[in-house]
Amino acid sequence: MTHSAGPPTRGRRRPRLRHWLRPQSPQTLVFGICMSVGGLAGGVRGVMDGRGIWTTLGILGAGILGVIIVVSYFVNLDDR
């Protein structure tokens, strides 16, 4: 196995940033589901318990981010 020094060969470039932001593994899907369920349920629980508005919005924000991860996983799966 030899390692070549210098720039990569023609046609072989670094992947774009969009490639790194796409969730591609099933572990990311499970993480997004757990994050969305926990965040949305925790936000509802925070509202019911009368917690502070910033705490509740932070937990709900984590749930919404989880939903975005799950949706983007399935959109990426459809593109592949």
Side-chain angles (χ1 to χ4, degrees), residues 23-33 73 80:
Q24 297 180 354
S25 68
Q27 290 88 358
T28 308
L29 175 66
V30 172
F31 174 70
I33 290 172
Y73 175 82
R80 284 193 268 164

Side-chain angles (χ1 to χ4, degrees), residues 22-68:
R22 289 182 178 175
Q24 297 180 354
S25 68
Q27 290 88 358
T28 308
L29 175 66
V30 172
F31 174 70
I33 290 172
C34 292
M35 196 169 159
S36 62
V37 169
L40 296 175
V44 170
R45 173 98 181 197
V47 168
M48 300 281 260
D49 289 345
R51 302 246 172 165
I53 186 72
W54 294 113
T55 305
T56 305
L57 285 177
I59 295 171
L60 279 173
I64 291 170
L65 183 64
V67 169
I68 291 171

